[in-house]
Amino acid sequence: MQKSLHIDANKCTGCLQCEMACSYENYGVFNPSRSRIKVFNFEHEGRKVPYTCTQCADAWCMNACPVDAIRIDAATGAKVVNEATCVGCKVCTIACPFGTINYVAETGKVQKCDLCGGEPACAAACPTGAITYVDADWTGFDKMRVWAAKTDTAPRAAA
Amino acid sequence: MKHIIIGNGPAGVVAAETLRRLRPEAEIALIGDEAEPPYSRMAIPYFLQGNIDAHGTHLRKSHDHFATHGIHLIEGRVACIDSAVKQIQFQSGERLHYDKLLIATGSHPVRPNIPGIDLANVHTCWTLDDARAIAAKAKPGSRVVQLGAGFIGCIIMEALAARGVQLTVVELGDRMVPRMMTPQAGAMIKRWVEAKGVAVHVNTAITAIERNGDALRVKVGAGGTALDADLVISAAGVRPNVDFLAGSGVEIGLGIRVDRGMRTSVPDIYAAGDVTEAPGFHSGAPQLNAIQPNAADQGRIAAINMAGGNAELQGSLAINVLDTLGLISTSFGHWQGKGDGVELVDEARFRYLSLQFEDDVLIGATCIGWTDHVGALRGLIQTRTKLGAWKARLKADPTQFMAAYLATAPKAA
Amino acid sequence: MRITFKLFASLQDYLPLEARAKNALSLDLPEGTTLGQVIERFGLPQKSCHLVLIDGRFVPPAERATCVLHDGETLAIWPPIAGG
Amino acid sequence: MGWTRKILRVDLTNGTCKSEPLNMEWAQQYLGQRGLATKYFVSEVDPKVDPLSPANKLIMTTGPLTGTAASTGGRYSVVTKGALTGAIACSNSGGFFGAELKFAGWDMIIFEGKSPKPVYLSIENDKAELKDASHLWGKTTWQTEEIIKKTHQDPQIRVCSIGRAGENGVLYACIVNDLHRAAGRSGVGAVMGSKNLKAVAVRGTLGVSGIKDFKAFLAATAAGKKVLAENAVTGQGLPKYGTQVLMNVINEIGALPTRNHRDVQFEEASKISAEAMYEKRPTDGKTHLVTNAACFGCTIACGRISRIDETHFSVVNKPEYWGASGGLEYEAAWALGAANGVGDLEALQFANMICNEDGMDPISFGATVGAAMELYELGILKKEDIGMEAPFGSAKALCELAQMTAKGEGFGKELGLGSARLCAKHGRPELSMGVKQQEFPAYDSRGIQGMGLAYATSNRGACHLRGYTVASEVLGIPVKTDPLVTEGKAALVKAFQDATAVFDSSGLCIFTSFAWGLPDIQPQIAAACEGDWSLEKLNEVGERIWNLERQFNLAAGFTAKDDDLPPRLKTEPAKTGPAKGLVNGIDKMKPEYYQLRGWDADGRPTGDTLKRLGL
């Protein structure tokens, strides 16, 4: 069974330990601005929402990539950017309707969540269980996937 | 079942792969007319800049990708289609039968009707060969005049600048990238590239190109100001490759007319990518939309339908991203708007954000200097998410678009 | 004898519903009832009985089992808490 | 490492921003943040300077653990000469601003001089510039943050700013960051306002890469987080109930200062307690509390986010106050509530929001209102003076006065000067409940004896955050001591004061000390920072900082006489509760404390002490 990141925003306190863990895991530095998971703050509702790539089935970013730089990790199902191949054209960043693949000026490449090869650092760092890595069946991302399908110009019939 | 795909750009390649996935037993042939493996024009600027070699531009990286997927690559140029007998004919005269045919022949650069456009050292920048020729001639200090500051012109600007040339850009329209950027945004991009040392003339035409010894002399504007140049690059836009369809019965406007299933007017002939005029996302009317993500989407939809499925395009949505000498800009959907929008301009810091609405739905957006989460703008437009109270919040502060997206779009499911 | 019994923070849950809003309950107890017996009667986990006060004065853990309550006293208990 | 080794020096008079290297020798002696910035401050500023003059400086400073994965590693401090007190001031704040400053590559910002016109400092990594703030002057902290983010087109910018209180010379004006976190006490916001500095807007994308040993650091911080998670206070009590859980405890032990310290117990305490925040309101069926929230990096998350009752008189037809916002914390709930005899939770939240929105320390504001209400009840202040009836318990007066003070209107002008100046002006200086002109926080020292000494000797004026012996005397952390006795309190106060100075200099939050001791933070500091950071050294650093602050105050003109409590606490015994009949025994504790500190009878560090600490 492939696992997915499960996000329960109700448990999020907005501490950003996930963002630090993500940036450290990927770049060896505590730097939320380079985190691939972002916590959004809905100040007037008192709500914090961690948000990252859903690893959607028919990945927009992957389909749009002109140079085959985004591939599926067979073990985790993650859509992974191969930095060596990415030319930095940013087409994926406007193709992904979730806004979860982003250009990094420092590297001239794009970045997105790659599930850390199956041990997501954000989930390990979350002190409240707002981010967990669980069997894909149960994830609250189901709702987003439904929505993803709706966004998809490709129809359900194709799936 | 024989599937033939004419054109090995992104639309053709994605279609071929999709067909293979859905129809493991089918014969699939993918025809290209350049002596290269399928490659991406989006990668040409990076090739020109020397960041990648030719292999880096290839759409698929492993040398046997197409062979292992049973996709038969054919190099050749199709001369015509005989739909009555379901055959295509190559220029060589050779004929091939198809059961289902996909036309994904893309587009070609317009050659403007200017005296001297055919002189040596006047190039388009469209193919890998073009790029190789330009790379050989664009030396540090070379004087380069670029005709056109549209999308293609802009994406090669950085590569030329990186090669150390003296660059002058001449654009007929009133601003840079007039077909994907608002006047404010186009002006901001112009100011940016000028500050980086590129000379930009807008509202001006090149009237003639003349030989001047080893160099060229470019006449600009009605007054006939002359610019000396070692190299002229013509980037005056592109047109669909449809000439070979004369007599095929396939209905053509500016491009091939297709329905939402990417079907042409002729049974068993489909079209996808730059060559098509597909129903627009907002208007529903046929529109050209020569952009990479669109091509990939259309290729997939066409293939699904060729395989007997039933896929439909939601409508062709213009989305664009540009990097002009480090200034990143994007535009989405009906960025021109319908009179109900909000615009934030920070001239000093080169940041710009425009959101356009119809009722409480986002229909278009333009950004400069924004790179984080911009895809969500597409998400909001494409899902036609009702923003409710968030519309007023966005009009007060459009920088909150990601929050608006998170608050409204997932709930729309 | 009657004492006032107060439970705070997470220990509120051990009070009957109607007493929770005020955090307090009036208890009728036989003479000689010890503090420890009250804790036991309400099923309060020992480790949650961190601050145990009789009329605002702290009763150390060692004395709780034998500490006899008197008429009119207020017994108030908190789990480990802090603020600032 | 741990430090970015870069200081930003901003000359407001001339409008220049310059980078300079951090003095690493000092960093080894003072660690960072409170200690290190104080070292810079006392080295550069004449102790006799008028706090509101251009010659005063204002330092915003991070610690070596700010912006790291250490739990609570998001703090910054503001060091200056306090506008309210004239003493050294160091106000510490959480939120996200401090970490962002670190991510932009700065250990501290030193502001000098005075700008000829309102400005704000904009920092994008190593790019720093002063920008015109005339359009922001007169705006609240909430508006300022919103306008800056919008004009810079960057929702991720972090902002600290002053509100109208800081502009209007409210002497206890604070600096607010991230809408409802504040460098709260001693009037650091008034100093900022006096310099025509409206805000600091920071965007940092460089991150923190200078950790001495990342592997050891991650292990040490993970161990620390485990301790916090498993501790009943930091793992359960604080996130669930927040600091306000103290309301009932402190009331029960008879140390809840009520009605300007006339009483030590408040009959309506339970109505303004943490438990009450969970009660469903009859009007809308909602609880006051919406959720808890964390500051940067904090795995405790004690912060309260609440929503006011839309039908409450204070916010009727004011939808701008209907959204969720920060509060109430214990100190604010006490100062705005019990100190004035007000038991209306919604009114407290409204006044608290005004304090956040316009940048006022709710402790000093609330306590000053308490003093004014006592003057009113005594007939010294009349209805005409105040502009309304203002007896103890008037929620309406509280809400009205909060707005008037923030805006500098009417009687609010007088309230904005603090209780000491107010009471002195009306001939009753003894009714100001504070030390060194700064108002007491929420513990009555007749019921918690050690706090009397902690208040009297606090270098920034009356304060609970310089030596929180409540932890031991009431809460049993780390060990329970008897709050009603003076014995042993001098040593307790000194130990808390020195350890607190270390926490405040590290970038961590003092609330970790409910679960952590110095042995828990020592490995985190040692893994992050080069140099020797043994426990012994940390203890010495804490003591050195305390004495450095003391030296500044002595040079500023403070004497042993200023280490004292108002007469009420020394002569009027507590009327009820366990402390009934008791006054504070400051005079018994103080000589012992001086001796333990190595100070002479006049409270001056002896030559030996200074030498031992390298001062």
Side-chain angles (χ1 to χ4, degrees):
Chain A
M1 167 92 47
Q2 269 186 353
K3 291 176 137 194
S4 295
L5 280 174
H6 175 248
I7 289 174
D8 180 353
N10 287 326
K11 291 183 177 168
C12 178
T13 62
C15 74
L16 308 189
Q17 284 284 349
C18 55
E19 296 191 9
M20 278 185 284
C22 180
S23 59
Y24 179 74
E25 174 77 20
N26 291 296
Y27 304 106
V29 52
F30 299 129
N31 189 354
S33 76
R34 297 193 69 181
S35 172
R36 297 160 184 190
I37 184 164
K38 292 301 288 181
V39 178
F40 289 85
N41 181 20
F42 292 84
E43 186 64 37
H44 300 296
E45 295 162 40
R47 209 156 57 90
K48 319 269 185 176
V49 182
Y51 186 65
T52 190
C53 173
T54 63
Q55 312 296 348
C56 61
D58 218 341
W60 297 78
C61 59
M62 191 171 72
N63 287 331
C65 178
V67 294
D68 204 16
I70 302 173
R71 301 267 187 99
I72 299 176
D73 178 328
T76 62
K79 314 301 180 294
V80 180
V81 177
N82 180 354
E83 275 213 13
T85 310
C86 173
V87 295
C89 75
K90 309 165 203 70
V91 167
C92 55
T93 71
I94 56 166
C96 167
F98 305 102
T100 52
I101 182 162
N102 294 310
Y103 180 65
V104 183
E106 290 85 356
T107 56
K109 315 278 178 180
V110 295
Q111 67 169 15
K112 70 181 288 297
C113 171
D114 59 4
L115 296 176
C116 298
E119 288 175 39
C122 55
C126 180
T128 63
I131 308 167
T132 48
Y133 191 52
V134 297
D135 289 345
D137 269 8
W138 326 347
T139 84
F141 270 138
D142 288 351
K143 207 172 166 185
M144 289 235 312
R145 280 178 207 276
V146 172
W147 181 71
K150 198 170 158 182
T151 318
D152 201 338
T153 49
R156 277 120 285 203
Chain B
M1 186 71 87
K2 288 187 183 209
H3 295 286
I4 291 181
I5 300 166
I6 313 175
N8 63 358
V13 166
V14 169
E17 290 168 348
T18 309
L19 275 171
R20 174 52 68 228
R21 204 163 62 237
L22 299 173
R23 289 282 170 268
E25 75 299 338
E27 278 183 51
I28 303 170
L30 184 61
I31 302 169
D33 66 355
E34 291 179 57
E36 319 269 358
Y39 69 91
S40 169
R41 302 201 194 287
M42 284 298 294
I44 283 182
Y46 307 93
F47 173 76
L48 189 55
Q49 205 169 332
N51 288 354
I52 52 172
D53 59 11
H55 181 255
T57 69
H58 294 169
L59 281 164
R60 298 296 176 258
K61 293 295 189 264
S62 66
H63 69 281
D64 59 352
H65 174 84
F66 295 99
T68 54
H69 285 78
I71 296 166
H72 183 47
L73 293 181
I74 298 172
E75 187 188 332
R77 198 171 179 90
V78 175
C80 61
I81 292 170
D82 188 344
S83 53
V85 294
K86 297 184 104 173
Q87 286 185 343
I88 63 167
Q89 182 174 324
F90 289 93
Q91 277 181 339
S92 61
E94 193 183 339
R95 286 184 157 236
L96 269 182
H97 169 78
Y98 65 83
D99 293 309
K100 305 273 182 187
L101 177 66
L102 176 65
I103 303 167
T105 46
S107 47
H108 62 277
V110 171
R111 265 182 111 63
N113 187 19
I114 295 170
I117 196 78
D118 295 322
L119 287 172
N121 296 335
V122 180
H123 287 272
T124 56
C125 185
W126 190 240
T127 63
L128 269 177
D129 264 347
D130 289 341
R132 288 182 186 111
I134 291 168
K137 291 171 186 171
K139 302 242 162 51
S142 301
R143 298 157 300 175
V144 179
V145 173
Q146 182 181 302
L147 186 163
F151 180 76
I152 306 290
C154 283
I155 62 172
I156 61 173
M157 212 175 269
E158 171 131 13
L160 292 170
R163 300 189 76 87
V165 308
Q166 291 176 42
L167 183 61
T168 303
V169 177
V170 182
E171 163 63 38
L172 198 55
D174 65 351
R175 59 185 186 270
M176 293 188 71
V177 262
R179 279 175 298 279
M180 64 174 268
M181 286 288 148
T182 62
Q184 278 277 19
M188 191 178 276
I189 294 171
K190 175 170 180 281
R191 217 159 46 74
W192 174 274
V193 299
E194 281 173 341
K196 297 269 174 184
V198 177
V200 181
H201 305 279
V202 295
N203 283 320
T204 310
I206 290 179
T207 51
I209 305 168
E210 295 163 0
R211 197 191 293 277
N212 179 23
D214 286 345
L216 298 166
R217 177 158 293 165
V218 181
K219 294 275 175 67
V220 177
T225 315
L227 299 169
D228 288 323
D230 301 305
L231 176 64
V232 174
I233 296 172
S234 170
V238 296
R239 294 269 161 75
N241 286 320
V242 293
D243 289 353
F244 71 104
L245 292 172
S248 66
V250 171
E251 187 192 347
I252 294 164
L254 291 169
I256 300 172
R257 291 281 169 86
V258 288
D259 67 7
R260 290 179 186 275
M262 310 317 294
R263 298 170 195 90
T264 69
S265 59
V266 176
D268 296 325
I269 301 182
Y270 298 76
D274 290 12
V275 75
T276 66
E277 255 189 314
F281 179 81
H282 286 111
S283 66
Q287 69 181 46
L288 289 174
N289 210 346
I291 57 169
Q292 157 100 17
N294 232 33
D297 284 354
Q298 293 185 0
R300 193 172 71 251
I301 289 167
I304 291 163
N305 292 332
M306 289 163 77
N310 183 23
E312 280 207 349
L313 186 73
Q314 243 196 352
S316 168
L317 183 72
I319 54 173
N320 277 296
V321 59
L322 256 188
D323 186 340
T324 39
L325 304 173
L327 186 69
I328 296 163
S329 52
T330 52
S331 68
F332 299 86
H334 203 295
W335 51 266
Q336 307 89 332
K338 294 182 175 177
D340 182 9
V342 56
E343 194 179 42
L344 267 190
V345 189
D346 183 349
E347 292 285 355
R349 296 172 64 253
F350 290 96
R351 282 178 87 85
Y352 175 83
L353 181 59
S354 153
L355 301 181
Q356 298 298 326
F357 307 92
E358 185 168 31
D359 300 324
D360 69 341
V361 173
L362 187 73
I363 56 170
T366 313
C367 319
I368 294 178
W370 287 80
T371 53
D372 283 351
H373 316 299
V374 287
L377 291 168
R378 177 190 190 176
L380 280 172
I381 295 168
Q382 193 134 20
T383 50
R384 294 187 164 96
T385 296
K386 290 199 165 299
L387 291 162
W390 277 93
K391 182 189 171 187
R393 285 180 213 168
L394 285 177
K395 286 193 85 169
D397 183 0
T399 70
Q400 293 299 312
F401 69 81
M402 189 60 190
Y405 166 86
L406 281 175
T408 58
K411 283 184 197 150
Chain C
M1 65 171 176
R2 288 201 87 78
I3 68 151
T4 304
F5 182 49
K6 295 181 176 177
L7 293 175
F8 293 98
S10 56
L11 290 177
Q12 276 186 109
D13 299 347
Y14 292 87
L15 283 175
L17 260 183
E18 64 278 8
R20 279 182 206 171
K22 285 201 173 327
N23 300 100
L25 188 64
S26 180
L27 283 184
D28 209 352
L29 298 172
E31 293 295 330
T33 303
T34 65
L35 196 163
Q37 285 167 332
V38 177
I39 288 177
E40 205 167 300
R41 173 171 155 193
F42 281 84
L44 307 180
Q46 284 296 338
K47 69 174 169 58
S48 297
C49 296
H50 179 69
L51 278 182
V52 178
L53 309 180
I54 293 178
D55 286 345
R57 287 172 189 267
F58 181 71
V59 183
E63 295 170 20
R64 289 173 194 169
T66 53
C67 175
V68 175
L69 293 163
H70 301 95
D71 187 53
E73 285 181 336
T74 295
L75 169 62
I77 306 179
W78 282 263
I81 46 117
Chain D
M1 287 175 280
W3 308 275
T4 69
R5 297 164 174 257
K6 261 172 63 190
I7 290 182
L8 179 62
R9 191 175 288 276
V10 179
D11 179 342
L12 291 161
T13 308
N14 296 305
T16 60
C17 301
K18 270 191 285 198
S19 169
E20 65 183 50
L22 185 72
N23 184 326
M24 289 310 295
E25 200 182 314
W26 288 356
Q28 288 295 327
Q29 290 163 359
Y30 293 93
L31 187 54
Q33 203 164 337
R34 174 174 159 190
L36 189 52
T38 302
K39 177 64 181 169
Y40 269 89
F41 187 81
V42 304
S43 305
E44 297 185 10
V45 176
D46 175 0
K48 300 274 189 200
V49 76
D50 171 358
L52 297 176
S53 74
N56 193 6
K57 297 191 184 186
L58 182 110
I59 304 182
M60 293 183 180
T61 169
T62 62
L65 300 190
T66 305
T68 71
S71 183
T72 77
R75 312 294 298 189
Y76 79 105
S77 291
V78 180
V79 173
T80 187
K81 184 169 173 176
L84 185 66
T85 57
I88 188 84
C90 174
S91 291
N92 181 307
S93 181
F96 298 84
F97 175 84
E100 197 73 18
L101 182 59
K102 192 77 173 283
F103 294 146
W106 302 101
D107 286 320
M108 73 176 79
I109 314 171
I110 302 177
F111 292 99
E112 313 179 330
K114 176 181 177 173
S115 170
K117 60 179 175 52
V119 289
Y120 72 101
L121 176 67
S122 164
I123 299 176
E124 284 181 73
N125 295 335
D126 43 9
K127 208 176 106 205
E129 57 179 326
L130 289 168
K131 289 174 165 286
D132 177 49
S134 43
H135 63 300
L136 299 172
W137 208 254
K139 296 280 191 288
T140 67
T141 66
W142 295 355
Q143 290 165 334
T144 299
E145 183 166 333
E146 189 181 318
I147 293 168
I148 288 176
K149 287 179 173 180
K150 184 176 157 183
T151 48
H152 285 244
Q153 295 190 40
D154 189 350
Q156 309 214 55
I157 285 177
R158 306 291 187 180
V159 177
C160 77
S161 66
I162 54 165
R164 289 174 293 190
E167 297 174 9
N168 293 335
V170 170
L171 291 181
Y172 44 81
C174 61
I175 300 173
V176 174
N177 57 284
D178 304 289
L179 303 178
H180 43 72
R181 289 283 144 197
R185 303 223 67 192
S186 311
V188 296
V191 174
M192 186 160 158
S194 75
K195 299 190 169 306
N196 270 332
L197 177 64
K198 177 66 179 176
V200 180
V202 186
R203 180 76 154 99
T205 60
L206 305 174
V208 171
S209 53
I211 295 292
K212 184 172 83 180
D213 180 345
F214 260 111
K215 220 176 139 193
F217 183 70
L218 289 171
T221 53
K225 288 173 195 169
K226 189 158 179 279
V227 171
L228 292 178
E230 289 172 355
N231 181 284
V233 170
T234 51
Q236 295 151 36
L238 277 173
K240 174 100 196 265
Y241 294 101
T243 55
Q244 217 179 341
V245 75
L246 286 185
M247 192 66 72
N248 285 315
V249 184
I250 303 300
N251 193 50
E252 198 74 18
I253 67 156
L256 189 69
T258 302
R259 289 174 283 267
N260 204 35
H261 290 247
R262 277 184 172 180
D263 300 304
V264 295
Q265 287 182 312
F266 183 37
E267 60 287 353
E268 296 190 280
S270 71
K271 287 168 68 180
I272 59 171
S273 67
E275 288 85 351
M277 301 271 281
Y278 275 98
E279 289 293 316
K280 283 194 176 145
R281 293 187 283 237
T283 46
D284 60 4
K286 290 177 182 160
T287 59
H288 190 77
L289 184 74
V290 175
T291 185
N292 66 323
C295 294
F296 180 90
C298 176
T299 58
I300 302 173
C302 73
R304 302 292 92 182
I305 303 292
S306 308
R307 201 191 299 268
I308 203 165
D309 182 345
E310 293 173 16
T311 65
H312 188 261
F313 74 83
S314 58
V315 295
V316 171
N317 297 324
K318 293 182 187 167
E320 64 271 30
Y321 297 108
W322 293 354
S325 188
L328 287 162
E329 310 299 334
Y330 171 61
E331 294 295 338
W334 163 79
L336 303 167
N340 308 308
V342 177
D344 175 345
L345 190 64
E346 307 298 330
L348 305 195
Q349 174 66 359
F350 176 74
N352 188 59
M353 283 198 284
I354 297 298
C355 286
N356 287 334
E357 189 188 20
D358 266 315
M360 300 193 287
D361 169 19
I363 300 179
S364 281
F365 166 71
T368 302
V369 171
M373 285 179 169
E374 180 159 17
L375 290 170
Y376 175 84
E377 298 225 331
L378 292 169
I380 296 166
L381 280 174
K382 305 277 191 296
K383 184 181 169 191
E384 308 81 73
D385 299 324
I386 300 176
M388 70 196 79
E389 292 178 351
F392 281 126
S394 171
K396 236 177 140 55
L398 172 73
C399 294
E400 206 51 45
L401 291 172
Q403 297 173 89
M404 286 164 62
T405 306
K407 293 181 201 160
E409 291 171 359
F411 186 68
K413 271 257 174 241
E414 253 184 77
L415 282 179
L417 301 180
S419 67
R421 290 161 179 87
L422 176 78
C423 294
K425 179 181 168 187
H426 295 283
R428 298 296 296 272
E430 78 283 4
L431 291 181
S432 167
M433 292 295 126
V435 174
K436 299 185 178 73
Q437 304 192 81
Q438 173 159 289
E439 290 73 15
F440 287 121
Y443 313 90
D444 194 298
S445 59
R446 289 166 292 195
I448 310 173
Q449 291 285 324
M451 285 309 288
L453 181 63
Y455 290 151
T457 59
S458 160
N459 287 332
R460 71 168 186 182
C463 176
H464 58 299
L465 292 171
R466 282 299 172 273
Y468 191 67
T469 61
V470 174
S472 168
E473 293 180 276
V474 181
L475 308 171
I477 301 167
V479 287
K480 183 76 173 73
T481 52
D482 185 346
L484 301 178
V485 302
T486 54
E487 287 75 34
K489 295 300 164 62
L492 193 67
V493 166
K494 176 181 181 294
F496 270 87
Q497 287 174 336
D498 291 349
T500 299
V502 175
F503 277 84
D504 286 350
S505 299
S506 66
L508 302 178
C509 175
I510 189 64
F511 280 14
T512 56
S513 69
F514 294 130
W516 290 351
L518 283 183
D520 293 289
I521 71 166
Q522 182 272 333
Q524 304 184 47
I525 293 172
C529 304
E530 67 194 9
D532 157 42
W533 293 101
S534 63
L535 262 184
E536 296 69 35
K537 177 166 167 186
L538 287 176
N539 277 312
E540 186 188 295
V541 165
E543 193 178 0
R544 181 179 297 128
I545 294 166
W546 192 264
N547 281 276
L548 181 75
E549 292 170 341
R550 179 75 179 180
Q551 289 283 81
F552 180 87
N553 282 351
L554 291 170
F558 287 93
T559 68
K561 285 202 186 88
D562 297 299
D563 298 340
D564 205 357
L565 301 174
R568 174 168 281 171
L569 300 177
K570 302 206 301 181
T571 59
E572 290 178 29
K575 293 177 201 154
T576 60
K580 188 173 173 181
L582 279 185
V583 294
N584 184 269
I586 179 70
D587 295 333
K588 274 183 267 175
M589 296 182 281
K590 203 162 80 173
E592 187 190 351
Y593 171 83
Y594 280 2
Q595 198 178 6
L596 279 172
R597 278 265 171 231
W599 296 353
D600 64 19
D602 294 328
R604 297 183 166 273
T606 62
D608 284 352
T609 302
L610 294 177
K611 201 174 147 200
R612 177 169 61 81
L613 295 170
L615 285 166

